Every structure is written in structure tokens, then in C-alpha cells.
Amino acid sequence: MSDTNKEATPVPLTTPAHATGAASSSLDAVDHCVIHPGIGIARLGNSQTGFFLGPEAPGVAPAPEGGFKDGEGAIKRQGVRFRIYGYDQQGAVVAEITDADAEITWTVHLVNKKASWYKFHGRYHIDESEANLRNKDVQNTPADPNARAALIIDPGPRSISGPGVEGPEHRFDTGTFLQVPVPLGELRTDEAGRLVVLGGYGHSASTKPDNPLHHYANNDAWFDDTRTVVAEQRIHKN
């Protein structure tokens, strides 16, 4: 199996369920690998320590130990777990690839670009004119051609490898919004080296004083810790 560096690709959710019934159980039959789910949903929570894993199969709801709140009544974050499946040349699932089969390195990039984008007026009302920019008082100029980059919360990518790993170096806590630090979440791995992504703590605020919300979606100088995830994996066969 050659080294693989592949972005998540949407594949029917029912496909991995048949992995145990694949025609070949040998990893030598693996032609390429794909991350599942192609799109994962993590949810915010204000618990500093508690979290649970979100649904991983249709109709199977999570039942976190102790409930959805921690001992102090704070809401636990919902993490999303990503797995790698090996496919043969015909596109059939051979098996799930875990830390027992290969050395897996996950690289993940969390970014929040909403404040630098256009105002939201509903799904069917797209206006990409300069007049519709959020925070349009922040403008790129010849003196500062990257001024609007200060509106993007981008801590850069993080990588993680091995089973049961967590720690400060896997937190996305170096991004800022107009020089205000905004943590976006963190990475962990489970006992088999699968990726677990945890989101933010549901924090939203304004960098300007006396700046109340006036719209459900478009409020200049406001930020939150919700983000978009891009995940990749690199695999070396054991």
C-alpha cells in the first residue's frame, strides 16, 4: 500500500458498514484510502473537560455517560470521529485501517472566515458585491494590503499521530480576530488512532464596546468560535 495523502471525499454512509464483509481481508488488496465521514458534525459546549462522540450510524443516538452535561451543569462538546477505510481498485471496501495496521498521521486545519466574507441574507439571496462585505470598515490598502486577514481566525494546521493522544500542542488556540485570541477547538485520537475533532466552547463576543447584536447573522466586529474543518491523512504501512 503506497503512501496516501487524500482529503475527505463524501461516500455513502452505508458503505463502511459492509467493511467486515469485504471480498478480501488482506490489506494487500487496498488500492486507496478514504476518510469517513466525508462531512462530520461537531457541536459546541461550554464544559471545559466533558465531551462525547456524535452519532456514527443512522438512527443510533449518542448516550454519553452522565448525560449531556458535566457535574457543574455545563454542556459537553460533541466531538466527531473520523476513520480511514481502504478500498480496492473496484471501489469496494476492504477494511478499516487503524493504528494496528499502519502508522497514521492526521493533519487538520480549523479556520473561521465568516467575518471576512459577505453578509448572509438567506440561501437564495447571494450578493458578492463589495458593498455587502462584512466588516467593510476594515479594508486592504496599499499601506496594508492584508488588513482584512485580521478578520480570519486561522491558527494554522495541526498534526497528530498514534493511539490515545491529546495535549496542548494539538489545540487550535493561536488564532486571533482583530488581535483578540479565539480558540477554535482541539484534536485527539482514540485507542485505535482514529481522529477525534472537538470544536469550540460556544463563545461569541464583540471587539468593540457597546456594540449590541442587531441581526441574527450579520454583526460587524463580532466573532465566534465555530469553524470549518479540512482533514487529511498520511499512511505508512506497518
Side-chain angles (χ1 to χ4, degrees):
M1 182 169 56
S2 60
D3 292 351
T4 306
N5 189 358
K6 190 172 184 115
E7 290 192 13
T9 303
V11 176
L13 291 176
T14 54
T15 302
H18 301 299
T20 56
S24 172
S25 60
S26 171
L27 294 184
D28 292 336
V30 172
D31 175 72
H32 61 280
C33 296
V34 177
I35 300 172
H36 289 275
I39 299 176
I41 305 297
R43 289 188 168 88
L44 310 176
N46 61 340
S47 174
Q48 297 299 302
T49 57
F51 75 94
F52 63 96
L53 294 176
E56 296 186 292
V60 182
E65 183 178 354
F68 292 93
K69 296 183 178 181
D70 64 19
E72 298 181 353
I75 298 173
K76 297 176 183 177
R77 290 181 290 173
Q78 175 180 297
V80 56
R81 178 161 55 184
F82 294 93
R83 304 167 184 254
I84 300 171
Y85 284 89
Y87 288 73
D88 64 20
Q89 291 182 344
Q90 288 69 47
V93 175
V94 175
E96 181 185 5
I97 310 298
T98 69
D99 184 73
D101 307 303
E103 179 184 332
I104 300 170
T105 299
W106 297 90
T107 299
V108 179
H109 199 166
L110 306 188
V111 183
N112 181 337
K113 296 184 176 182
K114 295 191 294 291
S116 69
W117 197 238
Y118 301 97
K119 294 178 181 179
F120 181 73
H121 302 291
R123 180 179 179 184
Y124 300 106
H125 299 279
I126 301 174
D127 180 358
E128 296 187 359
S129 66
E130 185 174 343
N132 193 48
L133 282 172
R134 288 172 170 163
N135 297 287
K136 62 181 179 180
D137 59 320
V138 180
Q139 291 289 332
N140 296 333
T141 65
D144 188 358
N146 297 310
R148 287 188 62 82
L151 301 170
I152 300 173
I153 306 169
D154 185 0
R158 302 286 189 273
S159 293
I160 192 169
S161 181
V165 178
E166 61 179 280
E169 66 272 27
H170 304 302
R171 297 172 186 164
F172 294 87
D173 55 3
T174 57
T176 61
F177 174 76
L178 296 176
Q179 301 183 352
V180 175
V182 184
L184 294 181
E186 62 184 280
L187 305 180
R188 302 186 181 201
T189 57
D190 70 5
E191 69 283 352
R194 304 180 186 100
L195 174 67
V196 176
V197 180
L198 299 177
Y201 295 101
H203 178 62
S204 181
S206 173
T207 58
K208 293 182 178 180
D210 302 319
N211 184 30
L213 296 172
H214 64 86
H215 191 268
Y216 76 96
N218 306 311
N219 298 280
D220 286 352
W222 279 80
F223 65 87
D224 61 44
D225 58 3
T226 305
R227 73 287 175 273
T228 299
V229 180
V230 176
E232 298 180 346
Q233 91 281 359
R234 184 173 293 276
I235 302 173
H236 296 276
K237 185 178 179 182
N238 286 341

